[in-house]
Amino acid sequence: MCSFLQISRNMHQGNQTTISEFLLLGLSNQPEQQQLLFVLFLGMYLVTVAGNGLIILAIGLDSYLHTPMYLFLANLSFADISSISTSVPKMLMNIHTNSQSISYESCITQMYFSIVFVNIDNFLLGVMAYDRFVAICHPLNYLTIMQLRFCIFLTVVPWVLSNIVALTHTLLLLHLIFCDSSTLPHFFCDLALLLKMSCSDTMINELVLFFVGLLVITFPISLIFFSYICIIRAVLRISSTEGKWKAFSTCGSHLTVVLLFYGTIVGVYFFPSSMLPDDRDKIGAVLFTVVTPMVNPFIYSLRNKDMKGALRKLINRKSFLLLMPWASTFLSSQ
């Protein structure tokens, strides 16, 4: 991808002088805070990878969890691992090496994948809301509606749409010129901040950012809103209190993640970059690229008996490697 970016950049910018790298200032410019930030974000990164990795393993190895809901959850966990991996490892490396530089191609690549995985989370939350709608409002037809082909379609579409969105922003960004300013007051290459720094006319980029962002956020939110309106109406018709609580409890974890995710992303990226305060984008970015992926495994597993049972069985196994087909083949060949 870096070669493609370099060729595209040369075609668009010709002989104009441009910068070859950016400087990521990180979350703080205080030297005494760097060690604390390193330990804190390394811990959050390891917890995120371990937590989401365990969910993926538990779902993959437990045939009881081979249902649409857990298929979507496994994809969400994978997207969360990928999302935090686009920014935090580079930030940790910069702190460890006392280097703030990132090449132009690496910066654009980081921006591309950060857009992809945040949008995948966004679309998957809508898909998961629809799954809960079908399960609660049409329980007798659930298996008929949520067939394997349809579930695969609902899984693939978020990936395709997210890459289309990221590619659109990336191709438009390649037309821009970055003259003398190469300092990014952030811990990763963020689209809105890059638009702010460009010395080119960014009106088209800002308009696309706003309208595409509006569509990307509005559709999943509308699907979530519609699904939960129907869910609430269906649950209120249940006569027993126990039945109502059981139905609502299956949606509580999803609603928690929805509120955390959209509450931060709307406030940070729904508006043009010129309207953002200096520190608001950093706080928001940490919340939805680091904190949300870290807490998702706890939210979805601690309130789900099936997931807790699968994780308990997984942790109690003597060895994860012996459970994996590729590992068994490798071991038998030795």
Side-chain angles (χ1 to χ4, degrees), residues 35-67:
Q35 186 175 359
L36 175 62
L37 288 173
F38 182 87
V39 173
L40 178 62
F41 277 83
L42 177 61
M44 289 194 291
Y45 180 72
L46 294 176
V47 169
T48 301
V49 173
N52 285 285
L54 281 174
I55 284 183
I56 294 172
L57 276 175
I59 293 173
L61 297 173
D62 193 335
S63 59
Y64 184 74
L65 299 181
H66 293 175
T67 63

PDB file of all heavy atoms in Angstrom, residues 35-67:
ATOM      1  N   GLN A  35       6.898   7.983  30.788  1.00  0.00           N
ATOM      2  CA  GLN A  35       6.977   6.628  31.339  1.00  0.00           C
ATOM      3  C   GLN A  35       5.619   6.156  31.828  1.00  0.00           C
ATOM      4  O   GLN A  35       5.235   4.996  31.620  1.00  0.00           O
ATOM      5  CB  GLN A  35       7.998   6.571  32.480  1.00  0.00           C
ATOM      6  CG  GLN A  35       8.245   5.158  33.006  1.00  0.00           C
ATOM      7  CD  GLN A  35       9.353   5.112  34.050  1.00  0.00           C
ATOM      8  OE1 GLN A  35       9.952   6.133  34.376  1.00  0.00           O
ATOM      9  NE2 GLN A  35       9.624   3.923  34.578  1.00  0.00           N
ATOM     10  N   LEU A  36       4.875   7.065  32.472  1.00  0.00           N
ATOM     11  CA  LEU A  36       3.538   6.724  32.942  1.00  0.00           C
ATOM     12  C   LEU A  36       2.620   6.389  31.769  1.00  0.00           C
ATOM     13  O   LEU A  36       1.865   5.411  31.814  1.00  0.00           O
ATOM     14  CB  LEU A  36       2.953   7.886  33.758  1.00  0.00           C
ATOM     15  CG  LEU A  36       1.502   7.726  34.224  1.00  0.00           C
ATOM     16  CD1 LEU A  36       1.369   6.520  35.152  1.00  0.00           C
ATOM     17  CD2 LEU A  36       1.015   8.993  34.927  1.00  0.00           C
ATOM     18  N   LEU A  37       2.671   7.209  30.710  1.00  0.00           N
ATOM     19  CA  LEU A  37       1.852   6.951  29.523  1.00  0.00           C
ATOM     20  C   LEU A  37       2.230   5.620  28.885  1.00  0.00           C
ATOM     21  O   LEU A  37       1.348   4.875  28.428  1.00  0.00           O
ATOM     22  CB  LEU A  37       2.020   8.086  28.512  1.00  0.00           C
ATOM     23  CG  LEU A  37       1.361   9.415  28.869  1.00  0.00           C
ATOM     24  CD1 LEU A  37       1.746  10.491  27.858  1.00  0.00           C
ATOM     25  CD2 LEU A  37      -0.159   9.265  28.921  1.00  0.00           C
ATOM     26  N   PHE A  38       3.519   5.316  28.846  1.00  0.00           N
ATOM     27  CA  PHE A  38       3.972   4.056  28.252  1.00  0.00           C
ATOM     28  C   PHE A  38       3.392   2.862  29.007  1.00  0.00           C
ATOM     29  O   PHE A  38       2.830   1.933  28.397  1.00  0.00           O
ATOM     30  CB  PHE A  38       5.502   3.994  28.255  1.00  0.00           C
ATOM     31  CG  PHE A  38       6.049   2.751  27.612  1.00  0.00           C
ATOM     32  CD1 PHE A  38       6.274   2.706  26.251  1.00  0.00           C
ATOM     33  CD2 PHE A  38       6.349   1.624  28.377  1.00  0.00           C
ATOM     34  CE1 PHE A  38       6.773   1.554  25.648  1.00  0.00           C
ATOM     35  CE2 PHE A  38       6.845   0.477  27.790  1.00  0.00           C
ATOM     36  CZ  PHE A  38       7.069   0.441  26.422  1.00  0.00           C
ATOM     37  N   VAL A  39       3.520   2.874  30.330  1.00  0.00           N
ATOM     38  CA  VAL A  39       3.015   1.759  31.140  1.00  0.00           C
ATOM     39  C   VAL A  39       1.498   1.663  31.038  1.00  0.00           C
ATOM     40  O   VAL A  39       0.939   0.563  30.884  1.00  0.00           O
ATOM     41  CB  VAL A  39       3.449   1.941  32.614  1.00  0.00           C
ATOM     42  CG1 VAL A  39       2.790   0.884  33.500  1.00  0.00           C
ATOM     43  CG2 VAL A  39       4.959   1.879  32.743  1.00  0.00           C
ATOM     44  N   LEU A  40       0.814   2.811  31.087  1.00  0.00           N
ATOM     45  CA  LEU A  40      -0.648   2.829  31.042  1.00  0.00           C
ATOM     46  C   LEU A  40      -1.178   2.268  29.724  1.00  0.00           C
ATOM     47  O   LEU A  40      -2.045   1.385  29.707  1.00  0.00           O
ATOM     48  CB  LEU A  40      -1.151   4.258  31.256  1.00  0.00           C
ATOM     49  CG  LEU A  40      -2.671   4.478  31.197  1.00  0.00           C
ATOM     50  CD1 LEU A  40      -3.368   3.692  32.303  1.00  0.00           C
ATOM     51  CD2 LEU A  40      -3.003   5.962  31.318  1.00  0.00           C
ATOM     52  N   PHE A  41      -0.642   2.764  28.605  1.00  0.00           N
ATOM     53  CA  PHE A  41      -1.163   2.342  27.302  1.00  0.00           C
ATOM     54  C   PHE A  41      -0.686   0.940  26.930  1.00  0.00           C
ATOM     55  O   PHE A  41      -1.399   0.229  26.216  1.00  0.00           O
ATOM     56  CB  PHE A  41      -0.777   3.363  26.233  1.00  0.00           C
ATOM     57  CG  PHE A  41      -1.714   4.539  26.185  1.00  0.00           C
ATOM     58  CD1 PHE A  41      -1.555   5.609  27.050  1.00  0.00           C
ATOM     59  CD2 PHE A  41      -2.773   4.561  25.302  1.00  0.00           C
ATOM     60  CE1 PHE A  41      -2.428   6.680  27.031  1.00  0.00           C
ATOM     61  CE2 PHE A  41      -3.656   5.628  25.260  1.00  0.00           C
ATOM     62  CZ  PHE A  41      -3.484   6.695  26.131  1.00  0.00           C
ATOM     63  N   LEU A  42       0.493   0.542  27.398  1.00  0.00           N
ATOM     64  CA  LEU A  42       0.912  -0.842  27.179  1.00  0.00           C
ATOM     65  C   LEU A  42      -0.029  -1.790  27.909  1.00  0.00           C
ATOM     66  O   LEU A  42      -0.438  -2.829  27.360  1.00  0.00           O
ATOM     67  CB  LEU A  42       2.346  -1.036  27.669  1.00  0.00           C
ATOM     68  CG  LEU A  42       2.896  -2.467  27.566  1.00  0.00           C
ATOM     69  CD1 LEU A  42       2.913  -2.953  26.125  1.00  0.00           C
ATOM     70  CD2 LEU A  42       4.299  -2.550  28.183  1.00  0.00           C
ATOM     71  N   GLY A  43      -0.387  -1.432  29.141  1.00  0.00           N
ATOM     72  CA  GLY A  43      -1.330  -2.254  29.895  1.00  0.00           C
ATOM     73  C   GLY A  43      -2.682  -2.342  29.222  1.00  0.00           C
ATOM     74  O   GLY A  43      -3.269  -3.431  29.098  1.00  0.00           O
ATOM     75  N   MET A  44      -3.200  -1.204  28.752  1.00  0.00           N
ATOM     76  CA  MET A  44      -4.501  -1.201  28.085  1.00  0.00           C
ATOM     77  C   MET A  44      -4.457  -1.981  26.783  1.00  0.00           C
ATOM     78  O   MET A  44      -5.414  -2.684  26.428  1.00  0.00           O
ATOM     79  CB  MET A  44      -4.962   0.239  27.844  1.00  0.00           C
ATOM     80  CG  MET A  44      -5.365   0.981  29.103  1.00  0.00           C
ATOM     81  SD  MET A  44      -6.269   2.515  28.799  1.00  0.00           S
ATOM     82  CE  MET A  44      -4.962   3.526  28.099  1.00  0.00           C
ATOM     83  N   TYR A  45      -3.334  -1.879  26.074  1.00  0.00           N
ATOM     84  CA  TYR A  45      -3.207  -2.617  24.815  1.00  0.00           C
ATOM     85  C   TYR A  45      -3.200  -4.122  25.055  1.00  0.00           C
ATOM     86  O   TYR A  45      -3.899  -4.883  24.364  1.00  0.00           O
ATOM     87  CB  TYR A  45      -1.923  -2.187  24.094  1.00  0.00           C
ATOM     88  CG  TYR A  45      -1.706  -2.902  22.781  1.00  0.00           C
ATOM     89  CD1 TYR A  45      -2.491  -2.606  21.667  1.00  0.00           C
ATOM     90  CD2 TYR A  45      -0.715  -3.881  22.654  1.00  0.00           C
ATOM     91  CE1 TYR A  45      -2.300  -3.269  20.461  1.00  0.00           C
ATOM     92  CE2 TYR A  45      -0.524  -4.538  21.453  1.00  0.00           C
ATOM     93  CZ  TYR A  45      -1.317  -4.223  20.364  1.00  0.00           C
ATOM     94  OH  TYR A  45      -1.119  -4.889  19.173  1.00  0.00           O
ATOM     95  N   LEU A  46      -2.426  -4.566  26.052  1.00  0.00           N
ATOM     96  CA  LEU A  46      -2.354  -5.998  26.349  1.00  0.00           C
ATOM     97  C   LEU A  46      -3.693  -6.539  26.834  1.00  0.00           C
ATOM     98  O   LEU A  46      -4.105  -7.648  26.455  1.00  0.00           O
ATOM     99  CB  LEU A  46      -1.263  -6.255  27.390  1.00  0.00           C
ATOM    100  CG  LEU A  46       0.178  -5.975  26.940  1.00  0.00           C
ATOM    101  CD1 LEU A  46       1.145  -6.187  28.107  1.00  0.00           C
ATOM    102  CD2 LEU A  46       0.562  -6.851  25.752  1.00  0.00           C
ATOM    103  N   VAL A  47      -4.392  -5.756  27.654  1.00  0.00           N
ATOM    104  CA  VAL A  47      -5.715  -6.169  28.133  1.00  0.00           C
ATOM    105  C   VAL A  47      -6.695  -6.277  26.965  1.00  0.00           C
ATOM    106  O   VAL A  47      -7.493  -7.222  26.877  1.00  0.00           O
ATOM    107  CB  VAL A  47      -6.244  -5.177  29.191  1.00  0.00           C
ATOM    108  CG1 VAL A  47      -7.721  -5.443  29.499  1.00  0.00           C
ATOM    109  CG2 VAL A  47      -5.430  -5.288  30.474  1.00  0.00           C
ATOM    110  N   THR A  48      -6.634  -5.322  26.043  1.00  0.00           N
ATOM    111  CA  THR A  48      -7.532  -5.328  24.880  1.00  0.00           C
ATOM    112  C   THR A  48      -7.289  -6.546  23.998  1.00  0.00           C
ATOM    113  O   THR A  48      -8.237  -7.241  23.605  1.00  0.00           O
ATOM    114  CB  THR A  48      -7.339  -4.042  24.046  1.00  0.00           C
ATOM    115  OG1 THR A  48      -7.599  -2.907  24.861  1.00  0.00           O
ATOM    116  CG2 THR A  48      -8.263  -4.034  22.849  1.00  0.00           C
ATOM    117  N   VAL A  49      -6.027  -6.801  23.681  1.00  0.00           N
ATOM    118  CA  VAL A  49      -5.698  -7.940  22.818  1.00  0.00           C
ATOM    119  C   VAL A  49      -6.055  -9.258  23.499  1.00  0.00           C
ATOM    120  O   VAL A  49      -6.638 -10.155  22.869  1.00  0.00           O
ATOM    121  CB  VAL A  49      -4.206  -7.908  22.435  1.00  0.00           C
ATOM    122  CG1 VAL A  49      -3.819  -9.182  21.687  1.00  0.00           C
ATOM    123  CG2 VAL A  49      -3.892  -6.685  21.587  1.00  0.00           C
ATOM    124  N   ALA A  50      -5.726  -9.381  24.800  1.00  0.00           N
ATOM    125  CA  ALA A  50      -6.019 -10.616  25.525  1.00  0.00           C
ATOM    126  C   ALA A  50      -7.522 -10.833  25.664  1.00  0.00           C
ATOM    127  O   ALA A  50      -8.026 -11.941  25.410  1.00  0.00           O
ATOM    128  CB  ALA A  50      -5.359 -10.577  26.899  1.00  0.00           C
ATOM    129  N   GLY A  51      -8.256  -9.780  26.053  1.00  0.00           N
ATOM    130  CA  GLY A  51      -9.700  -9.905  26.254  1.00  0.00           C
ATOM    131  C   GLY A  51     -10.444 -10.241  24.981  1.00  0.00           C
ATOM    132  O   GLY A  51     -11.249 -11.184  24.930  1.00  0.00           O
ATOM    133  N   ASN A  52     -10.173  -9.486  23.923  1.00  0.00           N
ATOM    134  CA  ASN A  52     -10.854  -9.747  22.651  1.00  0.00           C
ATOM    135  C   ASN A  52     -10.375 -11.046  22.020  1.00  0.00           C
ATOM    136  O   ASN A  52     -11.149 -11.754  21.367  1.00  0.00           O
ATOM    137  CB  ASN A  52     -10.629  -8.577  21.693  1.00  0.00           C
ATOM    138  CG  ASN A  52     -11.454  -7.360  22.055  1.00  0.00           C
ATOM    139  OD1 ASN A  52     -12.660  -7.317  21.840  1.00  0.00           O
ATOM    140  ND2 ASN A  52     -10.808  -6.354  22.620  1.00  0.00           N
ATOM    141  N   GLY A  53      -9.080 -11.374  22.218  1.00  0.00           N
ATOM    142  CA  GLY A  53      -8.568 -12.640  21.704  1.00  0.00           C
ATOM    143  C   GLY A  53      -9.228 -13.835  22.361  1.00  0.00           C
ATOM    144  O   GLY A  53      -9.543 -14.831  21.690  1.00  0.00           O
ATOM    145  N   LEU A  54      -9.464 -13.743  23.658  1.00  0.00           N
ATOM    146  CA  LEU A  54     -10.145 -14.832  24.368  1.00  0.00           C
ATOM    147  C   LEU A  54     -11.579 -15.007  23.879  1.00  0.00           C
ATOM    148  O   LEU A  54     -12.068 -16.131  23.755  1.00  0.00           O
ATOM    149  CB  LEU A  54     -10.144 -14.559  25.880  1.00  0.00           C
ATOM    150  CG  LEU A  54      -8.843 -14.863  26.624  1.00  0.00           C
ATOM    151  CD1 LEU A  54      -8.949 -14.403  28.070  1.00  0.00           C
ATOM    152  CD2 LEU A  54      -8.524 -16.356  26.567  1.00  0.00           C
ATOM    153  N   ILE A  55     -12.251 -13.892  23.585  1.00  0.00           N
ATOM    154  CA  ILE A  55     -13.619 -13.975  23.073  1.00  0.00           C
ATOM    155  C   ILE A  55     -13.634 -14.671  21.713  1.00  0.00           C
ATOM    156  O   ILE A  55     -14.476 -15.540  21.442  1.00  0.00           O
ATOM    157  CB  ILE A  55     -14.243 -12.572  22.979  1.00  0.00           C
ATOM    158  CG1 ILE A  55     -14.636 -12.092  24.375  1.00  0.00           C
ATOM    159  CG2 ILE A  55     -15.457 -12.570  22.054  1.00  0.00           C
ATOM    160  CD1 ILE A  55     -15.336 -10.757  24.397  1.00  0.00           C
ATOM    161  N   ILE A  56     -12.693 -14.300  20.835  1.00  0.00           N
ATOM    162  CA  ILE A  56     -12.621 -14.936  19.516  1.00  0.00           C
ATOM    163  C   ILE A  56     -12.330 -16.431  19.658  1.00  0.00           C
ATOM    164  O   ILE A  56     -12.950 -17.266  18.979  1.00  0.00           O
ATOM    165  CB  ILE A  56     -11.544 -14.247  18.653  1.00  0.00           C
ATOM    166  CG1 ILE A  56     -11.951 -12.804  18.354  1.00  0.00           C
ATOM    167  CG2 ILE A  56     -11.331 -15.014  17.346  1.00  0.00           C
ATOM    168  CD1 ILE A  56     -10.866 -11.984  17.675  1.00  0.00           C
ATOM    169  N   LEU A  57     -11.385 -16.789  20.538  1.00  0.00           N
ATOM    170  CA  LEU A  57     -11.060 -18.201  20.768  1.00  0.00           C
ATOM    171  C   LEU A  57     -12.252 -18.968  21.326  1.00  0.00           C
ATOM    172  O   LEU A  57     -12.561 -20.078  20.878  1.00  0.00           O
ATOM    173  CB  LEU A  57      -9.873 -18.312  21.723  1.00  0.00           C
ATOM    174  CG  LEU A  57      -8.470 -18.205  21.129  1.00  0.00           C
ATOM    175  CD1 LEU A  57      -7.436 -18.210  22.242  1.00  0.00           C
ATOM    176  CD2 LEU A  57      -8.209 -19.342  20.154  1.00  0.00           C
ATOM    177  N   ALA A  58     -12.912 -18.379  22.308  1.00  0.00           N
ATOM    178  CA  ALA A  58     -14.046 -19.056  22.938  1.00  0.00           C
ATOM    179  C   ALA A  58     -15.165 -19.306  21.937  1.00  0.00           C
ATOM    180  O   ALA A  58     -15.753 -20.391  21.902  1.00  0.00           O
ATOM    181  CB  ALA A  58     -14.563 -18.217  24.112  1.00  0.00           C
ATOM    182  N   ILE A  59     -15.443 -18.322  21.103  1.00  0.00           N
ATOM    183  CA  ILE A  59     -16.502 -18.470  20.101  1.00  0.00           C
ATOM    184  C   ILE A  59     -16.094 -19.487  19.040  1.00  0.00           C
ATOM    185  O   ILE A  59     -16.908 -20.315  18.597  1.00  0.00           O
ATOM    186  CB  ILE A  59     -16.820 -17.106  19.451  1.00  0.00           C
ATOM    187  CG1 ILE A  59     -17.452 -16.166  20.489  1.00  0.00           C
ATOM    188  CG2 ILE A  59     -17.756 -17.268  18.254  1.00  0.00           C
ATOM    189  CD1 ILE A  59     -17.648 -14.750  20.002  1.00  0.00           C
ATOM    190  N   GLY A  60     -14.838 -19.452  18.636  1.00  0.00           N
ATOM    191  CA  GLY A  60     -14.386 -20.369  17.597  1.00  0.00           C
ATOM    192  C   GLY A  60     -14.328 -21.819  18.048  1.00  0.00           C
ATOM    193  O   GLY A  60     -14.579 -22.732  17.256  1.00  0.00           O
ATOM    194  N   LEU A  61     -14.018 -22.043  19.330  1.00  0.00           N
ATOM    195  CA  LEU A  61     -13.812 -23.413  19.824  1.00  0.00           C
ATOM    196  C   LEU A  61     -15.049 -24.027  20.464  1.00  0.00           C
ATOM    197  O   LEU A  61     -15.096 -25.236  20.663  1.00  0.00           O
ATOM    198  CB  LEU A  61     -12.667 -23.424  20.835  1.00  0.00           C
ATOM    199  CG  LEU A  61     -11.290 -23.011  20.282  1.00  0.00           C
ATOM    200  CD1 LEU A  61     -10.278 -22.908  21.411  1.00  0.00           C
ATOM    201  CD2 LEU A  61     -10.826 -23.983  19.219  1.00  0.00           C
ATOM    202  N   ASP A  62     -16.046 -23.217  20.774  1.00  0.00           N
ATOM    203  CA  ASP A  62     -17.268 -23.725  21.408  1.00  0.00           C
ATOM    204  C   ASP A  62     -18.395 -23.764  20.375  1.00  0.00           C
ATOM    205  O   ASP A  62     -18.906 -22.724  19.959  1.00  0.00           O
ATOM    206  CB  ASP A  62     -17.665 -22.833  22.592  1.00  0.00           C
ATOM    207  CG  ASP A  62     -18.725 -23.478  23.475  1.00  0.00           C
ATOM    208  OD1 ASP A  62     -19.476 -24.344  22.969  1.00  0.00           O
ATOM    209  OD2 ASP A  62     -18.814 -23.121  24.657  1.00  0.00           O
ATOM    210  N   SER A  63     -18.775 -24.942  19.965  1.00  0.00           N
ATOM    211  CA  SER A  63     -19.800 -25.089  18.922  1.00  0.00           C
ATOM    212  C   SER A  63     -21.154 -24.525  19.371  1.00  0.00           C
ATOM    213  O   SER A  63     -21.975 -24.149  18.529  1.00  0.00           O
ATOM    214  CB  SER A  63     -19.956 -26.566  18.539  1.00  0.00           C
ATOM    215  OG  SER A  63     -20.316 -27.347  19.675  1.00  0.00           O
ATOM    216  N   TYR A  64     -21.376 -24.460  20.676  1.00  0.00           N
ATOM    217  CA  TYR A  64     -22.634 -23.906  21.186  1.00  0.00           C
ATOM    218  C   TYR A  64     -22.764 -22.419  20.857  1.00  0.00           C
ATOM    219  O   TYR A  64     -23.875 -21.889  20.773  1.00  0.00           O
ATOM    220  CB  TYR A  64     -22.701 -24.112  22.706  1.00  0.00           C
ATOM    221  CG  TYR A  64     -24.005 -23.671  23.329  1.00  0.00           C
ATOM    222  CD1 TYR A  64     -25.166 -24.421  23.155  1.00  0.00           C
ATOM    223  CD2 TYR A  64     -24.073 -22.503  24.087  1.00  0.00           C
ATOM    224  CE1 TYR A  64     -26.373 -24.006  23.723  1.00  0.00           C
ATOM    225  CE2 TYR A  64     -25.269 -22.079  24.657  1.00  0.00           C
ATOM    226  CZ  TYR A  64     -26.413 -22.843  24.463  1.00  0.00           C
ATOM    227  OH  TYR A  64     -27.606 -22.439  25.023  1.00  0.00           O
ATOM    228  N   LEU A  65     -21.627 -21.754  20.646  1.00  0.00           N
ATOM    229  CA  LEU A  65     -21.640 -20.317  20.347  1.00  0.00           C
ATOM    230  C   LEU A  65     -21.588 -20.025  18.849  1.00  0.00           C
ATOM    231  O   LEU A  65     -21.405 -18.878  18.464  1.00  0.00           O
ATOM    232  CB  LEU A  65     -20.460 -19.630  21.048  1.00  0.00           C
ATOM    233  CG  LEU A  65     -20.423 -19.723  22.573  1.00  0.00           C
ATOM    234  CD1 LEU A  65     -19.215 -18.964  23.117  1.00  0.00           C
ATOM    235  CD2 LEU A  65     -21.709 -19.193  23.192  1.00  0.00           C
ATOM    236  N   HIS A  66     -21.744 -21.043  18.033  1.00  0.00           N
ATOM    237  CA  HIS A  66     -21.734 -20.828  16.590  1.00  0.00           C
ATOM    238  C   HIS A  66     -23.121 -20.383  16.130  1.00  0.00           C
ATOM    239  O   HIS A  66     -23.827 -21.072  15.398  1.00  0.00           O
ATOM    240  CB  HIS A  66     -21.296 -22.102  15.853  1.00  0.00           C
ATOM    241  CG  HIS A  66     -19.862 -22.451  16.110  1.00  0.00           C
ATOM    242  ND1 HIS A  66     -19.263 -23.608  15.641  1.00  0.00           N
ATOM    243  CD2 HIS A  66     -18.885 -21.787  16.789  1.00  0.00           C
ATOM    244  CE1 HIS A  66     -17.994 -23.639  16.012  1.00  0.00           C
ATOM    245  NE2 HIS A  66     -17.743 -22.560  16.722  1.00  0.00           N
ATOM    246  N   THR A  67     -23.484 -19.189  16.567  1.00  0.00           N
ATOM    247  CA  THR A  67     -24.768 -18.574  16.226  1.00  0.00           C
ATOM    248  C   THR A  67     -24.506 -17.185  15.654  1.00  0.00           C
ATOM    249  O   THR A  67     -23.406 -16.639  15.801  1.00  0.00           O
ATOM    250  CB  THR A  67     -25.668 -18.462  17.474  1.00  0.00           C
ATOM    251  OG1 THR A  67     -25.023 -17.597  18.431  1.00  0.00           O
ATOM    252  CG2 THR A  67     -25.900 -19.830  18.106  1.00  0.00           C
TER     253      THR A  67
END
